[in-house]
Amino acid sequence: MTILPPSRRDVLGVAAFLGTAGLRSARADAPRLRLRLLATSDLHMALTDWDYYRARPDPTTGLSRVAALIAAARREQANTLLFDDGDLLQGNPLGDHLARSGEAPEGGIHPAYRVMNALGYDAATIGNHEFNFGLDFLERALKGSAFPQVSANIRRADGSPFLPPTAVLRRRFADEGGGLRDVAIGVIGFAPPQIMTWDKSNLEGRLVADDVVAAAERHLPALRESCDVVVALCHGGLGGGPYRPGEENAGLHLARLAGIDVVITGHSHRVLPGPDFAGRPDVDATRGALAGKPAVMPGFWGSHLGVVDLTLAQEGDRWHPVDFACEARPIARRDHGKVVALVEPDTKVEQLIRAEHDATRAWVEQPIGRFAQPVDSFFVWTGRDPVTSLVNRAQIDYARRLLAGSEHAGLPLLSAMAPFRAGYTPDAWIDVPAGPVALRQVADLYAYANTLVVVKVTGALLREWLEHAARIFARIVPGGAEIQSLLEPRLPSFDFDVVSGLTWTIDPTRPPRTDAQGRIVTPEGGRISDLRHEGRPVEETAEFLVVTNNYRADGGGSFPGMGGDRVVLRAPDGNRDVVLKWVAEQTEVTVPDERPWRFAPIGRRTTVAFDGAPAARDRLGLVPGLREVPAVRDGWARYAFDLD
Ligand code: MN
Ligand code: MG
């Protein structure tokens, strides 16, 4: 007997037979108990809805708004647990200011934990970005957490745990008949092992990151033994395909383990249940299930609250899930491009961090320089990108001074930067007017807490670097009658490196030369041609220095040749600080319209389009031939131009 509908039962029966077990069934008269799990992930210090870069509230973000959803979810169901899935402490000027001053974590409780303690979080895990400010800062901050923090795959270099790998939450809940029952909920946490690459300078020699599934298999038997329900807090995406050791996104692989009942996922900043994951094998994107197990991914910056409703049935003295329903509840929606808030912010949350909020606002409002012209990122996909040019100028200026007199000083010095704010959401673009600029406006030009690194590469490797970056463009069919989407939908703009000091063309009608892992899959060619340095073709064996960041140099984005020993300089400064300092030193910043890359002639007129900012409508004149076409996604404008 089962409460699941027959079709579902059949599916799960087959899955169980194949070893990818979903839920068990229970006798019809077995006692039942409802348990609701709530989850946030990738808050990135969006504790309130304040956008520190634009100095205005943003009702699509903020834990203060999620708090209203948490309260509502608890009113509906008293048996509730609340989790966070990591990437909490870094991501906006509030996080930066705290890390820079060090005051709050030293002197008291980090505001993130102050808020989460007040909201009654039950357990959490740490994400990759928790390590961005160094281990000492993280350890001080974690002391403020009044609830258990777990991480099963991160250890100290001596083998001892960095955090407890698991926690057991013992709770007394009312069952369906109103009787009080003791239920033990096991929690196990995971972060991407790639932290050892992404934060190498902070972690090398201090931590070890294990394979996620191997760590799960090591710790699950004991946890399973002592718990009724086991929840995996996976700071990773869903993944898929055959298992690869060291998997960054292990959600699906964890769901297939018999010891895990529920998977909370994150890291890829998407939403489950929902259309983001439709059509993936072994994923039920409508119901919110991975391999038949309940799963959620609650967006990012507080965009959603994940809700997992479990029905537990008792068998002997143990409880186990027999049914579930999952939701990702949004704090706002978009209605024909307009943001409609669905909840109001919790003013108690705002009060809790008032002092740090005000200090951060004062810090970011400092005037630091002047722009002679407006600087925006609206049309980077046409090749017009003043932000990248500006950052590259600052990085080259900084590195030239540091390298002066070194053995490398004679080599050509180039700089790589990608458009970080180029449409992550319909509002996430750079748009700084000419005139005096505040720190917040310049900080926005470099969104990540990276540190500056210089690598030495050959001309051949430079070409592979640009080839890997050019994967961002979809494969365009020359002369196609329809308007074609210019971009590959799932590739991040932060991996489209533009190298100042070179010029090249990109032919998007040709297949990409590399795959996501940086392996050459089209050996006979690629998309880059006419690669030149100061007007002369780049020799394969010529040597260059390239200023970049620790993420790229240590292997982030799997660029060919990176992650090895090509580093010639690890600077003590963050890239963002380099940009801030450079802007402050200039009387007035003028950015040349350098356009280092162009699309190659393809022989037949072909119209391509990208989703852009509605706010960019009145700037189309900046790019000849650019025009608006009907939008295909709500909240976005769509801009088209022709390749010839
Ligand atoms: Mn994140
Ligand atoms: Mg992450």
Side-chain angles (χ1 to χ4, degrees), residues 41-44 86-88 90 127-129 235 266-269 299-301 424:
S41 188
D42 296 272
L43 288 169
H44 288 282
D87 274 9
L88 168 70
Q90 178 277 339
N128 49 299
H129 282 288
H235 187 85
H267 182 57
S268 42
H269 292 202
F300 60 101
W301 306 345
Y424 199 59

Side-chain angles (χ1 to χ4, degrees), residues 84-99:
D84 184 70
D85 200 42
D87 274 9
L88 168 70
L89 299 174
Q90 178 277 339
N92 70 11
L94 176 61
D96 293 339
H97 188 56
L98 288 158

Side-chain angles (χ1 to χ4, degrees), residues 37-85:
L37 311 179
L38 305 175
T40 52
S41 188
D42 296 272
L43 288 169
H44 288 282
M45 283 305 282
L47 302 181
T48 71
D49 60 5
W50 190 256
D51 178 338
Y52 291 93
Y53 298 106
R54 289 168 194 81
R56 64 183 187 209
D58 176 355
T60 69
T61 70
L63 182 55
S64 59
R65 286 176 181 268
V66 181
L69 295 181
I70 293 169
R74 284 171 170 161
R75 281 195 298 273
E76 295 159 8
Q77 170 57 264
N79 300 340
T80 300
L81 294 168
L82 175 58
F83 301 109
D84 184 70
D85 200 42

Side-chain angles (χ1 to χ4, degrees), residues 208-329:
V208 178
D210 297 324
D211 176 73
V212 168
V213 170
E217 284 171 338
R218 185 156 61 243
H219 294 289
L220 276 175
L223 189 66
R224 181 82 268 177
E225 189 51 38
S226 55
C227 293
D228 299 291
V229 178
V230 171
V231 180
L233 300 180
C234 171
H235 187 85
L238 270 50
Y243 183 73
R244 286 188 303 264
E247 186 79 68
E248 173 183 344
N249 298 299
L252 254 169
H253 298 291
L254 288 173
R256 290 181 183 130
L257 300 178
I260 288 175
D261 297 312
V262 179
V263 186
I264 310 294
T265 65
H267 182 57
S268 42
H269 292 202
R270 295 182 188 278
V271 179
L272 178 75
D276 287 351
F277 295 105
R280 294 242 206 143
D282 223 10
V283 176
D284 188 333
T286 309
R287 195 178 186 215
L290 301 180
K293 307 260 185 80
V296 287
M297 188 186 290
F300 60 101
W301 306 345
S303 64
H304 292 74
L305 177 68
V307 181
V308 179
D309 280 316
L310 297 175
T311 302
L312 308 183
Q314 196 178 33
E315 196 177 4
D317 61 348
R318 301 296 283 263
W319 295 87
H320 62 87
V322 291
D323 195 12
F324 66 89
C326 298
E327 282 177 83
R329 297 184 176 178

